[in-house]
Amino acid sequence: MHPSTPDAALLLAWYDRHRRDLPWRARPGEPADPYAVWLSEVMLQQTTVAAVGPRFARFLARFPTVEALAAAPWEAVAQEWAGLGYYARARNLHAAAKAVAARGGFPQDEAGLAELPGVGAYTAAAVAAIAFGRPAVPVDGNVERVMARVFAVEAPLPGAKGRVATLARELAARAAARARPGDFAQALFDLGATLCTPRRPACALCPWRGMCAGAAAGLAESLPRKAPKPERPQRHGVAFWLEDAAGRVLLQRRPARGLLGGMLELPGTPWREEAWSEAEAAGHAPAPAAWVPAGKVRHVFTHFALDLVVWAGRVAALPAGGETVARGEVLTAGLPGVMAKAARAALTVSADAASVSG
């Protein structure tokens, strides 16, 4: 072990006094609910605790058990997930719930959990440790930061991920951590989230302050180092808000596979590197109409940024083939974030500004 190995017992003692009260976290002495643990870990991927809190409670109220989630239609799950982003998570969540319900409960070890749709090494380790007390250590961004600082790992991420994970496993193998694997995992999460923060870490309050090689070297705040990210590609698209005389709006559902799979959207062009001319975009309009500009929205995905031009039009009757939603219900219909932005832009344009097509 590293000569300045931190004491797991000290971290656990700190956690017992300062643990965060989170809606998915079991209270001291209570057994963890595997469904709640799993659901929270999926929701928290690429999403903040502050954002997930109210959405977790709402999701659980609608789908209180894994069996209820498994039995629900995809459209209901997609609607409840809308706005949380990374929509493949919702598809995998639904598929995994069906698998868990079919087998009569969750697998209890990392290997079994990792066989569920969408459950990677991190989520499998988190559920195994927190829900089932298995000796696993989930390594998220908080844990990476704590390990990089405590052991003064100066090699940049993501290249140093393997080294950081090994250090975390070595700490988790100590007797105090093995006795309470779920609490140890959550203690690492809380340490990174509340004290060992990305900027201005509160080193004076840290239970490992005398054992942190990064702090001793004056490097804590500069760690972990990160390799420069490549420039995010830019894409362009056009979305069409088409409304009929009764105030109903045309939507369509995206293909099940791919980005935003199975989610509702405004009809529009494909997304590409070049901007669309009006003439080109018109060929993708869902119907002939006197289209008026409704602005442009920008949305940043993981791998690219999208500029989406929005056009609004009105027709006497909507074309067949899509889904129709009342104008006032569009924003609660379960649109993904980028389409909700486009809808809000269109809603600022009066329907009267778009004349009925001949």
Side-chain angles (χ1 to χ4, degrees):
M1 295 293 289
H2 193 284
S4 60
T5 298
D7 186 341
L10 284 176
L11 178 64
L12 285 162
W14 170 84
Y15 175 73
D16 290 338
R17 294 191 303 274
H18 301 291
R19 55 183 286 151
R20 289 178 294 174
D21 184 14
L22 300 173
W24 47 84
R25 183 176 282 179
R27 297 191 177 279
E30 294 180 356
D33 175 6
Y35 175 55
V37 173
W38 167 64
L39 176 61
S40 70
E41 290 298 341
V42 175
M43 282 191 165
L44 285 165
Q45 292 167 18
Q46 308 292 336
T47 312
T48 65
V49 167
V52 166
R55 297 300 301 273
F56 173 83
R58 199 175 88 183
F59 195 97
L60 210 58
R62 188 166 183 178
F63 312 112
T65 64
V66 70
E67 292 80 12
L69 178 57
W74 161 248
E75 290 76 15
V77 179
Q79 182 184 40
E80 198 57 49
W81 197 269
L84 282 170
Y86 301 89
Y87 295 96
R89 292 182 298 167
R91 278 213 164 273
N92 287 329
L93 189 83
H94 197 211
K98 292 180 178 180
V100 170
R103 73 185 299 281
F106 281 90
Q108 297 190 14
D109 60 10
E110 285 183 89
L113 288 160
E115 292 178 359
L116 296 173
V119 176
Y122 166 77
T123 303
V127 177
I130 299 168
F132 300 113
R134 297 301 177 97
V137 56
V139 180
D140 69 350
N142 282 320
V143 176
E144 285 182 342
R145 186 167 60 255
V146 170
M147 293 299 106
R149 289 173 173 173
V150 165
F151 294 102
V153 178
E154 297 188 56
L157 296 174
K161 279 181 176 287
R163 172 67 176 149
V164 165
T166 297
L167 291 167
R169 284 193 296 269
E170 289 177 355
L171 272 184
R174 297 180 72 80
R178 284 202 316 272
R180 299 171 59 187
D183 285 345
F184 183 72
Q186 292 175 112
L188 286 173
F189 296 162
D190 283 11
L191 184 65
T194 63
L195 297 185
C196 198
T197 50
R199 294 180 182 84
R200 301 185 67 179
C203 296
L205 301 176
C206 180
W208 284 345
R209 60 187 174 274
M211 309 169 188
C212 179
L219 295 172
E221 192 166 358
S222 69
L223 298 175
R225 300 202 171 126
K226 295 184 180 179
K229 290 183 179 179
E231 187 174 344
R232 187 179 272 115
Q234 176 69 49
R235 294 186 188 174
H236 301 269
V238 178
F240 296 97
W241 171 281
L242 186 63
E243 189 174 338
D244 67 11
R248 298 189 66 80
V249 178
L250 180 67
L251 300 177
Q252 65 186 24
R253 198 165 291 276
R254 291 178 65 86
R257 295 188 176 277
L259 186 65
L260 309 182
M263 304 297 292
L264 286 170
E265 68 174 356
L266 298 178
T269 67
W271 301 342
R272 68 182 193 185
E273 293 181 6
E274 302 83 21
W276 290 84
S277 69
E278 291 186 27
E280 283 182 298
H284 294 270
W291 297 102
V292 297
K296 182 168 71 172
V297 299
R298 183 171 178 82
H299 194 82
V300 178
F301 293 95
T302 306
H303 299 299
F304 66 93
L306 174 68
D307 282 338
L308 197 61
V309 175
V310 185
W311 291 83
R314 193 175 179 199
V315 291
L318 296 175
E323 299 187 27
T324 60
V325 178
R327 174 190 176 93
E329 298 174 3
V330 170
L331 292 178
T332 58
L335 293 176
V338 62
M339 290 298 157
K341 289 179 183 177
R344 289 189 189 97
L347 283 165
T348 64
V349 177
S350 168
D352 294 335
S355 60
V356 176
S357 173

